[in-house]
Amino acid sequence: MKKNIAIGLIALSVVSFTIISSCKKEENETKISSHNSDESHNAGQNCMNCHRSGGEGEGNFTVAGTIYDSTGTSVNPNGTVKIYSHPNGNGNVLATIEVDAKGNFYTTESIDLSSGTYPSITGASGSTRDMPDITTSGACNSCHGVSQARIWIN
């Protein structure tokens, strides 16, 4: 009887360890959006609320947001976001991030935003819009859709 109880406790310990370890978030997990992918969620919300060091989301995003159509009500999938060192699509391209099927874009890649950057979006149709103002934040939905218009492209 004692042997059966000991084996049962060991089995329970293994199951408990498996459950606890499977819930642990990988801080340094690589996450990068891609065209046609539908793994993202929470369009229009500030991705960095969860996808940050100590947050609930998988991976620590450096740049993330949502692209909408010109009405600002429907997401605009499969475009491309480029981060430039100078305004109007000039200077060095610091990052190129594909917009997924749900209109979201995100990356955990290291991107130096500290000197200020100029994002540009190209829709799946080929039309392009540049953000005219300098930014040092990659949390695009922390302003866009809150204090600024949503990011949109035709």
Side-chain angles (χ1 to χ4, degrees), residues 2 17 31 81-82 140 148:
K2 287 183 182 180
F17 176 75
K31 292 288 199 178
V81 175
K82 290 187 178 183
C140 303
Q148 302 289 319

Side-chain angles (χ1 to χ4, degrees), residues 83-85 94 111-113 115-119 133-137:
I83 310 295
Y84 287 94
S85 60
L94 305 174
I111 303 168
D112 184 5
L113 306 171
S115 295
T117 60
Y118 297 87
D133 302 319
I134 192 169
T135 184
T136 57
S137 173

Side-chain angles (χ1 to χ4, degrees), residues 1 9 12 21 29 32 51 56 66 79 112 116 119 130-132 138:
M1 180 69 167
L9 289 174
L12 183 59
S21 64
E29 186 170 347
I32 303 169
H51 295 274
E56 305 260 334
T66 307
D112 184 5
D130 299 319
M131 183 171 152

Side-chain angles (χ1 to χ4, degrees), residues 67-95:
I67 306 295
Y68 288 86
D69 65 9
S70 59
T71 68
T73 58
S74 297
V75 296
N76 197 336
N78 301 318
T80 303
V81 175
K82 290 187 178 183
I83 310 295
Y84 287 94
S85 60
H86 290 87
N88 303 315
N90 292 306
N92 296 323
V93 177
L94 305 174

Side-chain angles (χ1 to χ4, degrees), residues 96-118:
T96 300
I97 308 163
E98 294 181 355
V99 179
D100 70 13
K102 294 184 176 181
N104 292 320
F105 61 94
Y106 52 89
T107 185
T108 57
E109 292 179 311
S110 178
I111 303 168
D112 184 5
L113 306 171
S114 64
S115 295
T117 60
Y118 297 87

Side-chain angles (χ1 to χ4, degrees), residues 25-27 29 31 50-51 55-61 108:
K25 174 188 110 131
E26 288 292 324
E27 283 280 329
E29 186 170 347
K31 292 288 199 178
C50 294
H51 295 274
E56 305 260 334
E58 295 175 354
N60 300 329
F61 292 172
T108 57

